């Protein structure tokens, strides 16, 4: 028996609206004490960005651009992974993210110097000179390492979306078909299969936003969204997810 994608997508829309309602309902009231707040603050930034990616995926899908939403779906996987990392490693995860930021910032500065671009030297020096603690969690700045650790199909989902997120042979091959001597050049993607694997984009958006919010719920004092998340999961076909 096949999967009814239309039914899943239909359930995803009210579920996404319900999740949006939760996000708008005073999460700051459940922030930890200032001394313990860093994972919560980073987590809020991640989950808020995740919510906007979900909106982008649904919007692109509605315009017939589910194929082009692959980078957004891929980024959703990364946000979910970072949120789960914050739950597992807390302050160490934030420290490791700072280490990654310092490294990436140094590459940006080097590129700016090579190109003769101007920037705030004092700010760049402050990042360069910051002394950051190292910890075993640093290895999880590598996306593949983090996704392997977390499991749950995140690595497989991320790698699948990566295939369609870059200028490569996979993306190029989606726009032409050869059969014997016949050649068809397409303006819309084709996958050589009967169904369109991007048709489920709205449900995928709900799925990852849901599990990202499950993680953020654990970063709030008292996990206040638990009952609401259970009800949303039950209504959208994820009964037993919590």
């Amino acid at each position: 028996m096949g999967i009814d994608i239309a039914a899943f997508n239909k359930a995803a829309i009210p579920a996404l609206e319900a999740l949006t309602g939760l996000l708008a309902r005073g999460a700051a009231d459940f922030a930890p004490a200032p001394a313990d707040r860093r994972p919560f603050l980073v987590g809020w930034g991640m989950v808020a960005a995740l919510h906007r990616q979900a909106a982008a995926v649904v919007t692109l899908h509605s315009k017939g651009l589910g194929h082009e939403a692959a980078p957004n779906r891929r980024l959703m996987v990364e946000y979910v992974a970072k949120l789960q990392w914050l739950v597992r490693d807390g302050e160490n995860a934030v420290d490791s993210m700072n280490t990654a930021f310092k490294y990436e910032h140094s590459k940006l500065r080097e590129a700016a110097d090579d190109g003769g671009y101007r920037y705030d030297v004092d700010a760049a020096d402050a990042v360069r000179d910051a002394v950051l603690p190292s910890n075993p969690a640093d290895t999880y700045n590598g996306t593949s390492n983090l996704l392997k650790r977390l499991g749950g199909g995140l690595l497989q989902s991320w790698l699948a979306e990566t295939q369609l997120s870059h200028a490569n042979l996979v993306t190029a091959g989606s726009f032409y078909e050869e059969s014997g001597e016949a050649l068809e050049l397409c303006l819309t993607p084709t996958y050589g299969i009967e169904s369109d694997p991007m048709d489920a984009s709205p449900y995928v958006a709900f799925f990852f936003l849901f599990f990202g919010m499950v993680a953020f719920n654990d970063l709030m004092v008292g996990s206040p969204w638990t009952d609401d998340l259970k009800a949303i999961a039950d209504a959208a076909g994820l009964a037993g997810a919590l």
Side-chain angles (χ1 to χ4, degrees):
M1 183 173 64
I3 297 174
D4 189 345
I5 297 298
F8 275 101
N9 285 340
K10 184 177 180 180
I13 301 306
L16 284 164
E17 292 172 349
L19 292 176
T20 299
L22 274 184
L23 286 168
R25 196 189 301 169
D29 295 337
F30 301 95
D36 302 316
R37 193 168 288 175
R38 287 199 310 158
F40 169 88
L41 290 175
V42 175
W44 172 257
M46 296 288 182
V47 80
L50 176 63
H51 174 254
R52 291 182 65 84
Q53 290 299 321
V57 169
V58 172
T59 300
L60 286 168
H61 174 83
S62 72
K63 303 296 184 181
L65 297 169
H67 177 94
E68 285 67 33
N72 305 87
R73 294 189 300 266
R74 179 177 183 265
L75 188 51
M76 290 189 76
V77 175
E78 294 180 10
Y79 281 131
V80 171
K82 292 292 179 67
L83 283 157
Q84 292 185 0
W85 186 20
L86 287 165
V87 171
R88 294 194 183 197
D89 289 345
E91 294 285 342
N92 283 342
V94 178
D95 286 339
S96 292
M97 290 181 196
N98 265 325
T99 298
F101 171 75
K102 182 176 180 178
Y103 173 70
E104 294 298 331
H105 192 272
S106 71
K107 293 197 296 182
L108 174 60
R109 184 174 191 174
E110 181 180 352
D113 289 341
D114 288 345
Y117 292 94
R118 298 176 63 184
Y119 52 84
D120 185 334
V121 175
D122 290 338
D125 285 348
V127 174
R128 181 198 62 196
D129 297 336
V131 178
L132 302 176
S134 62
N135 68 77
D138 289 347
T139 186
Y140 302 120
N141 278 316
T143 301
S144 294
N145 291 339
L146 178 59
L147 298 179
K148 287 177 182 177
R149 177 195 182 191
L150 296 172
L154 288 175
L155 177 62
Q156 292 78 6
S157 297
W158 183 75
L159 289 173
E161 299 294 2
T162 297
Q163 295 294 305
L164 299 178
S165 298
H166 298 297
N168 57 27
L169 292 177
V170 175
T171 53
S174 300
F175 291 91
Y176 63 82
E177 287 188 319
E178 290 182 284
S179 178
E181 295 184 359
L183 172 63
E184 181 180 3
L185 303 180
C186 311
L187 286 175
T188 56
T190 179
Y191 307 103
I193 55 178
E194 290 185 6
S195 60
D196 183 344
M198 308 308 159
D199 280 347
S201 283
Y203 195 80
V204 170
F206 157 68
F207 183 90
F208 286 121
L209 180 59
F210 174 81
F211 282 105
M213 290 179 64
V214 167
F216 183 72
N217 186 47
D218 288 339
L219 296 172
M220 292 190 287
V221 175
S223 300
W225 292 347
T226 301
D227 290 342
D228 291 295
L229 288 171
K230 285 182 178 178
I232 292 169
D234 289 346
L238 285 179
L242 286 182

